[in-house]
Amino acid sequence: MGKFDFFLENTADAEEFAAKHKTYSKLKRSELENIPENEIVAAATGWIEGKFDENWSDMCKVVNDLPTPCLNIYFADHVAKEVMSGGFSEAVFNLSNDFLGIAANGFRAIGYEKLGEIVDAAVKAGAASRPSGRSFEDFLEFSESVSFSAQDKDFRRCFDKAKFDRLAKQYIINYSKYFGND
């Protein structure tokens, strides 16, 4: 669960959300099997984010040290949320091609190949047009110069949260030695 995931959750209680996030940061490997499908990704990503400093200043270092199964889940989840909330214009502008590429591999690794293909198509469509700046004006210019409507439509049509959660749970269980504390 990222800093802004509260806004994407179906809970009105910020304190409940924060408490759950804190619990996930202490996730135990032995608990994975008993976590419901609709919470397993949040538990895994919360555990990963629990490794970050409070201000997330060490995010890159922590992420670079993660094993591949953790990267696959973390980035696939992050990109799915980014695309579902703001489309590929936002995702491609905000995230590096490496980040998006790992997400595409993550979707494939859990068995959601079509989403991996769609992410790859969006990266290809936007790669040549990425601005060097990071301002709001740069984002607007980028959004006007590249159309991701086909990729947005395909992703939203194909993405099924319940399916993603089911596939992710099986993947996390299969690679449980990488998720959670002993």
Side-chain angles (χ1 to χ4, degrees):
M1 286 188 204
K3 291 179 176 181
F4 302 105
D5 287 347
F6 170 71
F7 298 111
L8 299 173
E9 294 291 319
N10 292 328
T11 181
D13 187 353
E15 290 178 17
E16 176 187 332
F17 176 85
K20 187 179 277 190
H21 189 107
K22 190 172 187 171
T23 300
Y24 290 151
S25 70
K26 295 175 173 69
L27 179 68
K28 300 241 184 282
R29 198 167 291 133
S30 61
E31 300 169 334
L32 291 171
E33 288 273 352
N34 296 324
I35 297 173
E37 284 180 358
N38 66 341
E39 289 186 30
I40 191 77
V41 174
T45 58
W47 172 73
I48 291 167
E49 290 172 354
K51 296 173 175 298
F52 301 164
D53 285 340
E54 190 172 316
N55 66 2
W56 288 36
S57 62
D58 66 340
M59 178 186 180
C60 289
K61 181 193 176 320
V62 171
V63 167
N64 284 332
D65 291 340
L66 290 174
T68 300
C70 295
L71 292 171
N72 286 337
I73 292 297
Y74 188 73
F75 288 132
D77 178 59
H78 189 81
V79 167
K81 288 176 180 172
E82 188 97 10
V83 172
M84 295 304 286
S85 71
F88 276 105
S89 288
E90 182 178 307
V92 172
F93 182 81
N94 288 339
L95 307 172
S96 72
N97 286 347
D98 291 340
F99 197 111
L100 291 160
I102 295 169
N105 290 340
F107 287 123
R108 288 185 188 92
I110 68 169
Y112 221 148
E113 292 84 4
K114 183 63 178 167
L115 295 181
E117 293 171 17
I118 296 167
V119 172
D120 284 339
V123 170
K124 186 176 179 182
S129 302
R130 287 182 88 142
S132 58
R134 306 301 302 157
S135 71
F136 184 68
E137 289 81 14
D138 292 328
F139 173 71
L140 292 176
E141 183 179 314
F142 174 70
S143 296
E144 291 172 1
S145 69
V146 181
S147 174
F148 293 103
S149 59
Q151 292 89 356
D152 287 341
K153 182 179 175 184
D154 285 348
F155 194 92
R156 287 189 173 103
R157 180 181 46 80
C158 293
F159 183 76
D160 178 304
K161 178 81 166 99
K163 179 179 179 179
F164 177 72
D165 290 343
R166 184 180 72 253
L167 293 170
K169 179 162 186 173
Q170 188 59 52
Y171 183 82
I172 290 167
I173 298 302
N174 288 344
Y175 292 96
S176 61
K177 69 181 183 179
Y178 298 110
F179 293 93
N181 302 316
D182 291 331

